[in-house]
Amino acid sequence: MKPIQYTSLFFLAGILLVLAMAIHGMHQPIGTRGNNIREYVAPSPAASNVDYLYTLGVTGESGSDNNHFQFVWGLVVNATGHLYVADAGNNRVQVFDRVGTYQYTIGSGYGSDNAHFYGPSGVAVNTTGHLYVMDTDNQRVQVFDSTGTYLYTIGTPQVIGNDNDHFHTPLGVTVNNTGHVYIADTENNRVQVFDRAGNYQYTIGAGVQGSDNAHFYNPIGVAVNTTGYLFVADSGNHRVQVFDSAGVYQYTIGTSGVAGSDTAHFNSTMGVAVNAIGYIYVSEWGNHRVQVFDHAGTYQDTIGVTGEPGADNGHFNYTTGIAVNATGHLYVSDYYNYRVQVFGTRAPTALSIAINDGAEKTTNTSAILTLSAINATEMCFSNNGTTYTDWEAYSTSKLWEITFEPGEKTVYFKARYGLSEAAAVSDTITYLPPSEIPGYPLIIPFTIIGLSILFLRRYTRRIPRR
């Protein structure tokens, strides 16, 4: 074999040696899992959108202490998750924190002064935390600040009337994002609208009983969504009427004037609530259930066994008020069971993430994330634990880019089901640029040596022999 062939082989062997060292440095850690990685578990089928969570009050037992109610009616949840319960039979409003622990009471029993109520029904809160209590049998709305201190009254106490300063057995109240107050003036068959200071603005409904779109028949529950649409539980007409922010009729849910127990009918609509993504919840007195509809009024689901009163967690015994909090938990006043039932989507569990199958090091900023979560429908990610991507459909793997700077990198993974979000989990990996791979510096000298030998051999072949 000629000398030049030995030189070429030497050059090629050197490059192969360096490449082997580099590959060894890149892949040796793969398969070594970090301490926070759990064994992969395939996600289970999605849980029901209406899982029972817990009960406030004692089922079937009325009472006046802080663990009991007597005929619960209206419900509302404020921005911090506190629940306000209109305990009509006890002439008070009870306040609970986001996990159902009693906090304090507003009202001290029967009366008509500003420290008392007479059959409170609807409750609402505005964006500043002011509480509106429909003091039904006193024919007024009482307004309190976020600490429960009385502020002012809408209506004329204990005086029934049908002008703009009076009500007749009002039962429902809600407040929109601009502070406008909507009052279901039940026996006057109308909804009265006031500004944030309690000044009358306008009326929806003709003020006399009727079943067309300009009339109501004993409206009870009222709610507004994030775009200002008003939803009115028109109880005697067995329907929900929907109006825009100017009070113009838009559409009807249910069959006007016809009671029924299928999903196209209601039997005495009582409460109505709308969640953050526009789903509409309607409680029915006569059907002992809650019906769920999307933002267009299309039926989605039922909570409770239709037409069957009961005291277990799958039944109601006449439903009245209803509320939804920011995380999608649903609160239902179960009137003759003297309790509030709480439902919601359970947050995903058993979250895990593995970067490059749990490797400790990588030389590539593109990574494969292996993911696991039980009961997840959506996911998002972050490289810093603060700024996350938009929510996307849940999957068990994801192609992800880590940052370019050398060092330890952390990727955060969150998952949610509906509006119920699980806490983030993370995995770490060390990023080594190719220049820091063991053996990488030898590539240059080996290459120089190989090229130099090739050059010298070719140059010496041109020198004439003597």
Side-chain angles (χ1 to χ4, degrees):
M1 186 178 289
K2 296 180 180 180
I4 188 67
Q5 292 174 314
Y6 286 110
T7 304
S8 300
L9 288 173
F10 176 76
F11 171 63
L12 292 172
I15 291 177
L16 289 172
L17 175 62
V18 173
L19 289 174
M21 294 174 68
I23 292 170
H24 177 75
M26 290 169 62
H27 293 285
Q28 183 180 6
I30 290 178
T32 305
R33 292 187 172 274
N35 293 331
N36 64 330
I37 302 302
R38 305 173 205 163
E39 183 180 354
Y40 177 78
V41 179
S44 67
S48 168
N49 188 45
V50 291
D51 291 335
Y52 165 79
L53 298 180
Y54 61 92
T55 296
L56 296 175
V58 179
T59 301
E61 293 184 13
S62 65
S64 59
D65 60 23
N66 297 328
N67 294 321
H68 291 79
F69 302 113
Q70 187 172 344
F71 306 127
V72 287
W73 195 275
L75 305 169
V76 71
V77 184
N78 71 9
T80 63
H82 281 65
L83 174 70
Y84 297 81
V85 181
D87 187 9
N90 284 318
N91 298 297
R92 66 184 181 181
V93 174
Q94 298 282 80
V95 186
F96 301 83
D97 67 14
R98 63 188 311 118
V99 295
T101 303
Y102 168 80
Q103 301 296 297
Y104 61 93
T105 296
I106 303 172
S108 53
Y110 165 76
S112 59
D113 61 22
N114 297 327
H116 295 80
F117 301 117
Y118 184 14
S121 53
V123 284
V125 290
N126 69 9
T127 55
T128 62
H130 289 178
L131 173 69
Y132 298 75
V133 181
M134 185 59 73
D135 192 10
T136 298
D137 291 318
N138 277 323
Q139 315 297 332
R140 67 183 179 182
V141 175
Q142 296 285 79
V143 186
F144 303 83
D145 68 14
S146 58
T147 66
T149 302
Y150 168 79
L151 296 175
Y152 63 92
T153 296
I154 303 174
T156 305
Q158 294 188 306
V159 179
I160 293 174
N162 60 7
D163 60 22
N164 297 329
D165 294 322
H166 294 82
F167 305 113
H168 188 179
T169 318
L171 287 171
V173 61
T174 191
V175 187
N176 72 8
N177 289 334
T178 64
H180 281 69
V181 184
Y182 299 81
I183 296 172
D185 190 7
T186 304
E187 292 294 332
N188 279 326
N189 297 296
R190 67 185 181 180
V191 173
Q192 297 282 81
V193 186
F194 299 81
D195 67 15
R196 64 186 314 118
N199 300 308
Y200 170 79
Q201 301 297 296
Y202 61 93
T203 297
I204 304 173
V208 293
Q209 178 183 322
S211 59
D212 60 22
N213 297 327
H215 292 79
F216 298 114
Y217 181 11
N218 289 348
I220 294 180
V222 284
V224 289
N225 68 10
T226 55
T227 61
Y229 272 45
L230 172 68
F231 300 78
V232 182
D234 190 11
S235 179
N237 281 321
H238 312 290
R239 67 185 180 182
V240 173
Q241 295 286 81
V242 185
F243 303 83
D244 67 15
S245 58
V248 177
Y249 168 79
Q250 300 296 304
Y251 63 93
T252 296
I253 305 174
T255 305
S256 295
V258 181
S261 59
D262 59 21
T263 60
H265 293 80
F266 299 114
N267 189 349
S268 299
T269 51
M270 298 292 283
V272 60
V274 186
N275 73 9
I277 57 176
Y279 274 54
I280 305 156
Y281 299 80
V282 183
S283 63
E284 300 174 65
W285 179 264
N287 280 326
H288 310 284
R289 67 182 181 184
V290 174
Q291 298 274 74
V292 187
F293 303 83
D294 67 14
H295 66 278
T298 304
Y299 170 79
Q300 302 293 307
D301 204 354
T302 295
I303 306 166
V305 179
T306 300
E308 294 183 11
D312 60 23
N313 296 327
H315 289 78
F316 301 112
N317 193 356
Y318 295 95
T319 59
T320 48
I322 193 168
V324 185
N325 72 7
T327 59
H329 287 178
L330 175 69
Y331 301 81
V332 182
S333 291
D334 193 5
Y335 194 78
Y336 281 117
N337 279 324
Y338 309 106
R339 66 185 182 183
V340 175
Q341 295 286 81
V342 186
F343 303 84
T345 58
R346 298 181 186 275
T349 58
L351 274 67
S352 69
I353 176 175
I355 306 173
N356 290 350
D357 198 32
E360 293 180 354
K361 299 177 182 178
T362 183
T363 59
N364 195 336
T365 57
S366 293
I368 297 294
L369 308 181
T370 301
L371 310 164
S372 175
I374 296 176
N375 195 35
T377 57
E378 294 179 289
M379 62 184 183
C380 63
F381 304 90
S382 174
N383 278 328
N384 57 21
T386 302
T387 304
Y388 281 83
T389 61
D390 292 336
W391 291 100
E392 60 185 271
Y394 171 73
S395 177
T396 56
S397 65
K398 170 81 172 176
L399 181 63
W400 183 252
E401 289 291 322
I402 59 178
T403 53
F404 283 92
E405 298 80 8
E408 187 176 82
K409 305 296 178 181
T410 303
V411 180
Y412 299 84
F413 161 53
K414 290 199 298 187
R416 71 180 183 183
Y417 180 91
L419 297 176
S420 296
E421 180 180 315
V425 296
S426 63
D427 189 24
T428 58
I429 194 167
T430 299
Y431 169 57
L432 295 175
S435 60
E436 297 185 14
I437 300 170
Y440 180 85
L442 296 178
I443 293 176
I444 296 175
F446 267 89
T447 302
I448 293 173
I449 292 171
L451 291 174
S452 298
I453 294 173
L454 283 175
F455 173 78
L456 290 173
R457 292 302 299 164
R458 292 187 179 183
Y459 176 76
T460 55
R461 289 175 63 185
R462 295 177 184 176
I463 300 174
R465 294 180 182 274
R466 294 183 181 272

